[in-house]
Structures are given as structure tokens and as C-alpha cells.
Amino acid sequence: MPSFDPVAIRSDFPILSREVGGKPLVYLDNSATTQKPLSVIDALSRFFSHENANIHRGVHYLSREATNAYEGAREYVKAQIRVPDTHEMIFVRGATEGMNLAAHCLASRVSEGDEIVLTIMEHHANIVPWQVLAAKTGAVLRFARLRDNGELDLDEWKSLFSARTRIAAFTQVSNVLGTVNPVVEMVAFAKEREVLTLVDGAQALPHGSVDLTEIGSDFYAFSGHKIFAPDGIGGLCAPREILDSAPPYQTGGDMIEKVTTEGTTYRKSPERFEAGTPNISGAVGLAAAFRYLEGIDRAAAAAYEESLAVHAAEELVKIPGIRIFGTAPGKAAIVSFHYSAAHPHDVGTILDTEGVAIRVGHHCAQPLMDYLGVPATARASFAFYNNESDVEAFLRAMRKVERYFG
Amino acid sequence: MDDNLEDLYQEIILSHNKRPRNEGILDPHDSEAEGYNPLCGDRLQVYVKLAGPTIQAVQFTGQGCAISRASASIMTEVVKGMDEHSLDAKIAEVMELLTAKEEPMIDPLELGELAALLGVRKFPARVKCATLAWHTLAAALKQSGSITTE
Ligand SMILES: Cc1ncc(COP(=O)(O)O)c(C=O)c1O
């Protein structure tokens, strides 16, 4: 039975007990990357101590075992996020590579004058690959706007669809606003119009389980490092039919069927898009992270981290001059704010002297910053291993900012 | 840590941040440049009015943290009367001030308000904030348009 104990869970994450600059670490930069539980660290150590070999090519015992670990990780993760039978999951470096690979696979399906619908809350990783595709094909990008509370204006988003719309790409959860988009409804709307969909799941998986069969999107991308797994591994889930008819992405070993001096034929996915030796240990670590999450009651964990974020936000706005970006109902545990008396960089520096790690800057979402009318924000983002004393330390440090700048 | 913070956010820095000298578009001006810090997305415009080869007036506009605004504000007063050559020398001195491992051997009296920037040394991540205005001014003098901190 999955369970959630906010006190016990902290001891699963060794890094949480360290100090920074003589203060206990208060890690509130979870949207940038999450910390790793011992079970993931141990899984990597076990892999390198017992199973390490190259995959898919050796006849020897260890290579078979490593291949099983790698392919076993793929099947296990696919089952955890319920990838439909029609789809395959390519191991990629992370959501960024996932979106680039998706845009690559779709290049031949887009022509001049076709339209791609995005939203203004996207991370650069879900904007720039489409800009590149548009520049190559002559396609046009359309950006949907937001309501004042940071929610997508769904009516406006729908009104952007035309007979020329080919692709709609959108994030499930905003890394700045915490807004949770109604992806099931959005995918269904696009599907009715035969528009291909990509969901950026980078910030969704950290805050709850996802069910790709229910979401129904063509593409879904995520990063392992944001869900307690190592960096350099992630997944792009996509229809086999699209993957196997797309040209190769990188070429080399493992992705070929037959190479002669006349030419080469390519394997089907997933190998088609995994040229060379892949991140084998990363896949093992990713599976270990999902195994760790399987033991956690994700709904209880999400409610807990949201309560921390709500408390932090409620106290934060008591400081005159604080403005919070993103107040949509049901938002994820991310608190982005601007303080009129101090630039986010100054906020970040002062918080750092109290051991409080937050992100300040444009969060790789400059179009959203422009839209909100700020160059940057400060962002405290929570995970289920944070606690009330983290919130208190954050608020204490914010009052220190106020003493300097208020 | 707190001593370092006191050094970084000295009264002089905070007051320049709140009430910068020479903020706003300089009208008329002979030259201008935009500085951009891609790390934080801050943009700074620097306007220069020359009298022959020497700087007569400098003003700036744009968003930025306390360090970059204070540095820009102090700069607009320090560089008056300099030419391109003496500005280059001054920028080298400011860079030395901001990045020196050891306490720089400079007479604080000679530094004037620039001494307030000494506290940045302990915060390597913030050095680029302090140098942005200076590099932008140098670019304006060289008429090279736009620069970034990278
Ligand atoms: C919403 C969103 N999409 C994509 C990414 C890119 O993820 P990665 O840098 O792991 O490729 C991020 C990371 O910050 C993100 O928050």
C-alpha cells in the first residue's frame, strides 16, 4: 500500500541533512531539479558494482544482464505512466531533447502556412524547437494568452485553431506559475480537429502520477532529474507510426538495420532514435525513481506540498510590495513572486546567506516574463520532502530582505 | 555570511539603488549602447554625450538588481571628463576591484564611492551585475552597439 509520512520521508534524501554556508540547507529549487533518494543512489551504485556492461551487442552474460536492466527499465517506466500500446518511449536526455526530437519527427508533416499552437507560458524548450521548425518549413506559430490568475484562457486557445493548424504543444504544469492545464480536454479538442499534440510533462510528474492513456496526446516528454532520478535521462513517448516513418535523428551504432557501402536501412523505434551507447545507468536510475514513487501516496504527497506552498504564499503577501504570479485554482506547489523593493537577484543572494535555495531569473520562459511585464521573478518550488521549518526559514529570510530593501 | 552581506549591501549601494544619479534618457546624446545579462534577463541602456574625445555626461535606463543599478549610478559620476583611454584604464581597475582574491591594494580614499563595490568580491555570481554598466559604456564609446555579459 502506498503511504506518505512527511517526517520519515526526509531521511530518504541524504542531501537534506547538509549545511550550506553554516546554515541548514533549505532546498526550495525543486522545479529546477529534485534531490535523489537513497534508493536511487543505491541503484546506481549497484548497477556499476554488479551489472555494468554495454548493451544490445555482447554475447556475454554481463551484457545480457545490462540489456535486461535497460530494456526492463523502459518497460517498467512505460507501465508506470501507462504509455498506450500504440506508442513507444524513446530514452532521451530530458524534456528538452524530447521536444527537439518530436519537432524533428514532425518536420515532414508541416508545410508553408501551416500553424502550430503554443501557449505563452511555455518553457523555451517547448518554444524554440517549434521556431526552428517554423523557420525551416514556413509554418506560423500562434501563442495563447492567460487570464490574470495565470490560467490558460482556454476559449482563446481554442479560437487559435484553424484549418491550417497541424500541431498544438503545451505544458501540463507551468514551471513559473504552477498552473495545471486541462490537458485531457485540450488533447481531445485538438484530436477532433486532427491536430497532433505534444504535452510537456517536465513539471507534471514531480507533483503527481500521470496516465498517458488517459491524456491521449501524441507526444509526451519528461525529464528524469525533475522526478528524483539522475540527470541526463528522460523520455519521449510517441506513436510508433510517426516514429518509424520519421527520418533518423542521430546516426551510428545500434540504430541501423543493415549498413552496406551503398546505403543503410534503419531499425524501428525505440532503437531508431537511440544511436550509440545510451545512458544505461540513467535508465536504471529512472526506473529506481519510479519504483521509489510507487511506494508513495502521490495524492497525499501533493496535498501536503501544496499546503506548504499555500502557507508560504499567504505569509509572503503580508510583506508590502510582494506580488505573486499564478494563483490558479489547483495549482502545483510553485510560488513565483516579485518584490517591488528588491530585484529577484538581490532576493536570491540574501536568501542564499540563510541557506535558502530558490531560483531567480527568467526561468527559461522569457516570453512569459515579457507577458507578465517583469524581467525576472523569484521562485520557491516545493517537493514532498520539504516541511514547515523550510517555509519558516524562507519567510525569515524574506523578512531579512525586507530589512535591507523595504 | 552576514558580514559579507553587510559589505555587499552597504548604505551607499542601497541609496544609489533607490535614488540613482543620472537615470533616464540623455537628450541629446552622441552615442548609446545596450547591455544585456542573459543570466537574469536584465537590460541596461547607456547614453553618452561627448565634448571632443572626453565624456561630458552619461545617463542610463533599464532594469537591474541593486548591484547593477548602484554600479551604473556611481559610474555616471566617476567617468565624467574621461576619454576612451582613461575609461579603459578605469574599467580594468574596477575589474581588479571586483575579482581580486586578496584585498586590493588601493587607497579607499582614492576610490571614492567605487569602494562601495568592494563587497561584490565575496559574491562571484554577482560580479557580472557590477560590470554590466561599465562594459556597456565602453561599447557606447566604441559605437559598437550591443554587448552581453557572456
Ligand atoms: C516546463 C518545462 N519544460 C521543459 C523543461 C526542460 O527540461 P530539461 O532541462 O530537463 O530538458 C523544463 C525545465 O526547467 C520545464 O520546467
mmCIF file of all heavy atoms in Angstrom, chain A residues 31-32 93-97 99 121-126 171 173-176 200-203 222-226 359 363-364 379, ligand 1:
data_model
loop_
_atom_site.group_PDB
_atom_site.id
_atom_site.type_symbol
_atom_site.label_atom_id
_atom_site.label_comp_id
_atom_site.label_asym_id
_atom_site.label_seq_id
_atom_site.Cartn_x
_atom_site.Cartn_y
_atom_site.Cartn_z
ATOM 1 N N SER A 31 11.787 22.831 -8.748
ATOM 2 C CA SER A 31 11.378 22.864 -10.150
ATOM 3 C C SER A 31 12.589 22.876 -11.073
ATOM 4 O O SER A 31 12.475 22.520 -12.245
ATOM 5 C CB SER A 31 10.507 24.090 -10.437
ATOM 6 O OG SER A 31 9.294 23.995 -9.739
ATOM 7 N N ALA A 32 13.732 23.302 -10.543
ATOM 8 C CA ALA A 32 14.955 23.264 -11.350
ATOM 9 C C ALA A 32 15.463 21.833 -11.412
ATOM 10 O O ALA A 32 15.704 21.283 -12.490
ATOM 11 C CB ALA A 32 16.018 24.186 -10.771
ATOM 12 N N ARG A 93 17.739 12.630 -23.313
ATOM 13 C CA ARG A 93 18.464 13.278 -22.209
ATOM 14 C C ARG A 93 17.507 13.925 -21.224
ATOM 15 O O ARG A 93 17.805 14.072 -20.053
ATOM 16 C CB ARG A 93 19.422 14.334 -22.753
ATOM 17 C CG ARG A 93 20.696 13.749 -23.331
ATOM 18 C CD ARG A 93 21.746 14.837 -23.508
ATOM 19 N NE ARG A 93 21.304 15.825 -24.479
ATOM 20 C CZ ARG A 93 21.237 17.126 -24.231
ATOM 21 N NH1 ARG A 93 21.566 17.599 -23.056
ATOM 22 N NH2 ARG A 93 20.824 17.959 -25.166
ATOM 23 N N GLY A 94 16.370 14.353 -21.728
ATOM 24 C CA GLY A 94 15.410 15.030 -20.863
ATOM 25 C C GLY A 94 14.329 15.644 -21.721
ATOM 26 O O GLY A 94 14.271 15.402 -22.943
ATOM 27 N N ALA A 95 13.489 16.462 -21.108
ATOM 28 C CA ALA A 95 12.358 17.044 -21.829
ATOM 29 C C ALA A 95 12.840 17.876 -23.025
ATOM 30 O O ALA A 95 12.216 17.868 -24.083
ATOM 31 C CB ALA A 95 11.528 17.913 -20.882
ATOM 32 N N THR A 96 13.954 18.577 -22.863
ATOM 33 C CA THR A 96 14.460 19.413 -23.955
ATOM 34 C C THR A 96 14.745 18.579 -25.194
ATOM 35 O O THR A 96 14.290 18.900 -26.297
ATOM 36 C CB THR A 96 15.747 20.148 -23.515
ATOM 37 O OG1 THR A 96 15.435 20.966 -22.396
ATOM 38 C CG2 THR A 96 16.305 21.002 -24.637
ATOM 39 N N GLU A 97 15.483 17.488 -25.002
ATOM 40 C CA GLU A 97 15.766 16.638 -26.159
ATOM 41 C C GLU A 97 14.468 16.012 -26.676
ATOM 42 O O GLU A 97 14.294 15.834 -27.881
ATOM 43 C CB GLU A 97 16.791 15.552 -25.834
ATOM 44 C CG GLU A 97 17.233 14.852 -27.111
ATOM 45 C CD GLU A 97 18.251 13.739 -26.906
ATOM 46 O OE1 GLU A 97 18.361 13.190 -25.797
ATOM 47 O OE2 GLU A 97 18.932 13.399 -27.889
ATOM 48 N N MET A 99 11.467 17.331 -26.784
ATOM 49 C CA MET A 99 10.745 18.275 -27.628
ATOM 50 C C MET A 99 11.473 18.463 -28.972
ATOM 51 O O MET A 99 10.829 18.572 -30.018
ATOM 52 C CB MET A 99 10.607 19.620 -26.914
ATOM 53 C CG MET A 99 9.223 19.897 -26.389
ATOM 54 S SD MET A 99 8.863 19.229 -24.761
ATOM 55 C CE MET A 99 9.698 20.365 -23.691
ATOM 56 N N MET A 121 2.881 30.496 -21.787
ATOM 57 C CA MET A 121 3.530 30.052 -20.542
ATOM 58 C C MET A 121 4.589 28.983 -20.788
ATOM 59 O O MET A 121 5.165 28.458 -19.852
ATOM 60 C CB MET A 121 2.499 29.536 -19.526
ATOM 61 C CG MET A 121 1.843 28.232 -19.883
ATOM 62 S SD MET A 121 0.858 27.544 -18.516
ATOM 63 C CE MET A 121 -0.698 28.412 -18.691
ATOM 64 N N GLU A 122 4.909 28.678 -22.060
ATOM 65 C CA GLU A 122 5.844 27.580 -22.315
ATOM 66 C C GLU A 122 7.283 27.907 -21.915
ATOM 67 O O GLU A 122 7.740 29.038 -21.992
ATOM 68 C CB GLU A 122 5.813 27.185 -23.804
ATOM 69 C CG GLU A 122 4.472 26.706 -24.305
ATOM 70 C CD GLU A 122 3.850 25.626 -23.432
ATOM 71 O OE1 GLU A 122 4.553 24.667 -23.064
ATOM 72 O OE2 GLU A 122 2.652 25.759 -23.103
ATOM 73 N N HIS A 123 7.980 26.865 -21.519
ATOM 74 C CA HIS A 123 9.431 26.885 -21.316
ATOM 75 C C HIS A 123 10.095 27.011 -22.693
ATOM 76 O O HIS A 123 9.543 26.537 -23.685
ATOM 77 C CB HIS A 123 9.812 25.547 -20.661
ATOM 78 C CG HIS A 123 11.229 25.432 -20.207
ATOM 79 N ND1 HIS A 123 12.276 25.179 -21.065
ATOM 80 C CD2 HIS A 123 11.779 25.505 -18.968
ATOM 81 C CE1 HIS A 123 13.404 25.103 -20.367
ATOM 82 N NE2 HIS A 123 13.137 25.303 -19.096
ATOM 83 N N HIS A 124 11.258 27.646 -22.739
ATOM 84 C CA HIS A 124 11.955 27.798 -24.026
ATOM 85 C C HIS A 124 12.075 26.458 -24.768
ATOM 86 O O HIS A 124 12.061 26.424 -26.002
ATOM 87 C CB HIS A 124 13.358 28.381 -23.819
ATOM 88 C CG HIS A 124 13.335 29.804 -23.323
ATOM 89 N ND1 HIS A 124 14.445 30.426 -22.791
ATOM 90 C CD2 HIS A 124 12.333 30.724 -23.275
ATOM 91 C CE1 HIS A 124 14.129 31.662 -22.434
ATOM 92 N NE2 HIS A 124 12.849 31.867 -22.713
ATOM 93 N N ALA A 125 12.191 25.373 -24.011
ATOM 94 C CA ALA A 125 12.347 24.050 -24.630
ATOM 95 C C ALA A 125 11.117 23.642 -25.426
ATOM 96 O O ALA A 125 11.192 22.761 -26.285
ATOM 97 C CB ALA A 125 12.642 23.002 -23.555
ATOM 98 N N ASN A 126 9.988 24.277 -25.153
ATOM 99 C CA ASN A 126 8.772 23.977 -25.915
ATOM 100 C C ASN A 126 8.375 25.159 -26.805
ATOM 101 O O ASN A 126 7.224 25.284 -27.218
ATOM 102 C CB ASN A 126 7.613 23.603 -24.977
ATOM 103 C CG ASN A 126 6.501 22.839 -25.701
ATOM 104 O OD1 ASN A 126 6.738 22.255 -26.763
ATOM 105 N ND2 ASN A 126 5.314 22.855 -25.126
ATOM 106 N N THR A 171 2.362 22.850 -22.128
ATOM 107 C CA THR A 171 2.858 22.241 -20.915
ATOM 108 C C THR A 171 1.698 21.748 -20.064
ATOM 109 O O THR A 171 0.595 22.315 -20.111
ATOM 110 C CB THR A 171 3.741 23.230 -20.127
ATOM 111 O OG1 THR A 171 4.450 22.506 -19.123
ATOM 112 C CG2 THR A 171 2.924 24.330 -19.451
ATOM 113 N N VAL A 173 2.077 21.438 -16.645
ATOM 114 C CA VAL A 173 2.185 22.304 -15.471
ATOM 115 C C VAL A 173 3.218 23.380 -15.787
ATOM 116 O O VAL A 173 4.306 23.072 -16.272
ATOM 117 C CB VAL A 173 2.619 21.514 -14.219
ATOM 118 C CG1 VAL A 173 2.872 22.444 -13.046
ATOM 119 C CG2 VAL A 173 1.568 20.466 -13.836
ATOM 120 N N SER A 174 2.887 24.650 -15.516
ATOM 121 C CA SER A 174 3.820 25.750 -15.772
ATOM 122 C C SER A 174 4.914 25.781 -14.726
ATOM 123 O O SER A 174 4.639 25.747 -13.528
ATOM 124 C CB SER A 174 3.071 27.082 -15.764
ATOM 125 O OG SER A 174 3.990 28.148 -15.548
ATOM 126 N N ASN A 175 6.170 25.877 -15.192
ATOM 127 C CA ASN A 175 7.303 25.910 -14.258
ATOM 128 C C ASN A 175 7.416 27.241 -13.533
ATOM 129 O O ASN A 175 8.169 27.358 -12.575
ATOM 130 C CB ASN A 175 8.617 25.600 -14.990
ATOM 131 C CG ASN A 175 8.965 26.626 -16.042
ATOM 132 O OD1 ASN A 175 8.110 27.081 -16.783
ATOM 133 N ND2 ASN A 175 10.217 27.034 -16.093
ATOM 134 N N VAL A 176 6.687 28.258 -13.988
ATOM 135 C CA VAL A 176 6.736 29.564 -13.329
ATOM 136 C C VAL A 176 5.481 29.796 -12.488
ATOM 137 O O VAL A 176 5.555 30.203 -11.324
ATOM 138 C CB VAL A 176 6.867 30.706 -14.363
ATOM 139 C CG1 VAL A 176 6.810 32.064 -13.691
ATOM 140 C CG2 VAL A 176 8.160 30.553 -15.155
ATOM 141 N N ASP A 200 4.169 18.781 -22.666
ATOM 142 C CA ASP A 200 5.427 18.888 -21.937
ATOM 143 C C ASP A 200 5.137 18.516 -20.479
ATOM 144 O O ASP A 200 4.528 19.285 -19.738
ATOM 145 C CB ASP A 200 5.949 20.323 -22.054
ATOM 146 C CG ASP A 200 7.201 20.572 -21.213
ATOM 147 O OD1 ASP A 200 7.646 19.647 -20.504
ATOM 148 O OD2 ASP A 200 7.724 21.699 -21.274
ATOM 149 N N GLY A 201 5.590 17.331 -20.096
ATOM 150 C CA GLY A 201 5.268 16.824 -18.757
ATOM 151 C C GLY A 201 6.358 17.084 -17.731
ATOM 152 O O GLY A 201 6.287 16.561 -16.611
ATOM 153 N N ALA A 202 7.349 17.945 -18.082
ATOM 154 C CA ALA A 202 8.518 18.112 -17.208
ATOM 155 C C ALA A 202 8.137 18.475 -15.771
ATOM 156 O O ALA A 202 8.726 17.971 -14.821
ATOM 157 C CB ALA A 202 9.455 19.170 -17.794
ATOM 158 N N GLN A 203 7.125 19.354 -15.614
ATOM 159 C CA GLN A 203 6.772 19.805 -14.265
ATOM 160 C C GLN A 203 5.546 19.084 -13.713
ATOM 161 O O GLN A 203 5.086 19.391 -12.611
ATOM 162 C CB GLN A 203 6.518 21.316 -14.254
ATOM 163 C CG GLN A 203 7.728 22.160 -14.587
ATOM 164 C CD GLN A 203 8.824 22.072 -13.519
ATOM 165 O OE1 GLN A 203 8.609 21.590 -12.409
ATOM 166 N NE2 GLN A 203 10.010 22.536 -13.871
ATOM 167 N N PHE A 222 9.338 14.162 -20.801
ATOM 168 C CA PHE A 222 9.642 14.447 -19.388
ATOM 169 C C PHE A 222 11.129 14.256 -19.109
ATOM 170 O O PHE A 222 11.854 13.658 -19.899
ATOM 171 C CB PHE A 222 8.794 13.564 -18.458
ATOM 172 C CG PHE A 222 9.126 12.098 -18.536
ATOM 173 C CD1 PHE A 222 10.049 11.533 -17.667
ATOM 174 C CD2 PHE A 222 8.514 11.280 -19.471
ATOM 175 C CE1 PHE A 222 10.357 10.173 -17.729
ATOM 176 C CE2 PHE A 222 8.811 9.927 -19.551
ATOM 177 C CZ PHE A 222 9.738 9.372 -18.675
ATOM 178 N N SER A 223 11.562 14.797 -17.962
ATOM 179 C CA SER A 223 12.963 14.732 -17.528
ATOM 180 C C SER A 223 13.073 13.916 -16.245
ATOM 181 O O SER A 223 12.355 14.188 -15.282
ATOM 182 C CB SER A 223 13.504 16.130 -17.221
ATOM 183 O OG SER A 223 13.477 16.943 -18.358
ATOM 184 N N GLY A 224 14.010 12.995 -16.214
ATOM 185 C CA GLY A 224 14.221 12.191 -15.004
ATOM 186 C C GLY A 224 14.664 13.013 -13.808
ATOM 187 O O GLY A 224 14.204 12.802 -12.683
ATOM 188 N N HIS A 225 15.564 13.987 -14.054
ATOM 189 C CA HIS A 225 16.147 14.699 -12.907
ATOM 190 C C HIS A 225 15.110 15.506 -12.125
ATOM 191 O O HIS A 225 15.355 15.872 -10.980
ATOM 192 C CB HIS A 225 17.309 15.596 -13.362
ATOM 193 C CG HIS A 225 16.885 16.803 -14.137
ATOM 194 N ND1 HIS A 225 16.703 18.030 -13.541
ATOM 195 C CD2 HIS A 225 16.600 16.973 -15.445
ATOM 196 C CE1 HIS A 225 16.330 18.895 -14.465
ATOM 197 N NE2 HIS A 225 16.258 18.289 -15.629
ATOM 198 N N LYS A 226 13.976 15.783 -12.753
ATOM 199 C CA LYS A 226 12.939 16.536 -12.038
ATOM 200 C C LYS A 226 12.024 15.608 -11.232
ATOM 201 O O LYS A 226 11.130 16.061 -10.526
ATOM 202 C CB LYS A 226 12.107 17.366 -13.021
ATOM 203 C CG LYS A 226 12.925 18.505 -13.648
ATOM 204 C CD LYS A 226 12.057 19.441 -14.430
ATOM 205 C CE LYS A 226 12.849 20.351 -15.354
ATOM 206 N NZ LYS A 226 13.567 21.436 -14.668
ATOM 207 N N ARG A 359 15.144 29.798 -6.993
ATOM 208 C CA ARG A 359 15.587 30.184 -8.319
ATOM 209 C C ARG A 359 15.166 31.624 -8.563
ATOM 210 O O ARG A 359 14.030 31.983 -8.269
ATOM 211 C CB ARG A 359 14.945 29.252 -9.351
ATOM 212 C CG ARG A 359 15.149 29.639 -10.809
ATOM 213 C CD ARG A 359 16.475 29.144 -11.357
ATOM 214 N NE ARG A 359 16.715 29.719 -12.675
ATOM 215 C CZ ARG A 359 16.367 29.156 -13.821
ATOM 216 N NH1 ARG A 359 15.769 27.991 -13.827
ATOM 217 N NH2 ARG A 359 16.630 29.750 -14.970
ATOM 218 N N HIS A 363 13.624 31.912 -15.698
ATOM 219 C CA HIS A 363 13.123 30.532 -15.671
ATOM 220 C C HIS A 363 12.961 29.950 -17.075
ATOM 221 O O HIS A 363 12.068 29.134 -17.312
ATOM 222 C CB HIS A 363 11.791 30.440 -14.906
ATOM 223 C CG HIS A 363 11.789 31.210 -13.628
ATOM 224 N ND1 HIS A 363 12.511 30.808 -12.522
ATOM 225 C CD2 HIS A 363 11.196 32.375 -13.278
ATOM 226 C CE1 HIS A 363 12.341 31.687 -11.558
ATOM 227 N NE2 HIS A 363 11.565 32.658 -11.991
ATOM 228 N N CYS A 364 13.822 30.371 -17.995
ATOM 229 C CA CYS A 364 13.725 29.882 -19.378
ATOM 230 C C CYS A 364 12.321 30.077 -19.925
ATOM 231 O O CYS A 364 11.788 29.222 -20.636
ATOM 232 C CB CYS A 364 14.134 28.412 -19.490
ATOM 233 S SG CYS A 364 15.810 28.107 -18.972
ATOM 234 N N ARG A 379 11.450 32.393 -7.409
ATOM 235 C CA ARG A 379 10.538 31.245 -7.386
ATOM 236 C C ARG A 379 10.941 30.254 -6.303
ATOM 237 O O ARG A 379 12.059 29.750 -6.299
ATOM 238 C CB ARG A 379 10.567 30.526 -8.734
ATOM 239 C CG ARG A 379 9.693 29.274 -8.780
ATOM 240 C CD ARG A 379 9.890 28.491 -10.064
ATOM 241 N NE ARG A 379 11.197 27.860 -10.110
ATOM 242 C CZ ARG A 379 11.711 27.262 -11.177
ATOM 243 N NH1 ARG A 379 11.038 27.243 -12.315
ATOM 244 N NH2 ARG A 379 12.903 26.693 -11.133
HETATM 245 C C1 LIG C 1 8.050 23.094 -18.172
HETATM 246 C C2 LIG C 1 9.441 22.665 -18.540
HETATM 247 N N1 LIG C 1 9.674 22.144 -19.748
HETATM 248 C C3 LIG C 1 10.892 21.737 -20.113
HETATM 249 C C4 LIG C 1 11.971 21.843 -19.277
HETATM 250 C C5 LIG C 1 13.306 21.393 -19.747
HETATM 251 O O1 LIG C 1 13.762 20.317 -19.007
HETATM 252 P P1 LIG C 1 15.262 19.820 -19.123
HETATM 253 O O2 LIG C 1 16.134 20.999 -18.875
HETATM 254 O O3 LIG C 1 15.382 18.780 -18.076
HETATM 255 O O4 LIG C 1 15.420 19.262 -20.505
HETATM 256 C C6 LIG C 1 11.786 22.380 -18.006
HETATM 257 C C7 LIG C 1 12.937 22.542 -17.085
HETATM 258 O O5 LIG C 1 13.082 23.505 -16.394
HETATM 259 C C8 LIG C 1 10.491 22.808 -17.627
HETATM 260 O O6 LIG C 1 10.271 23.334 -16.426
#
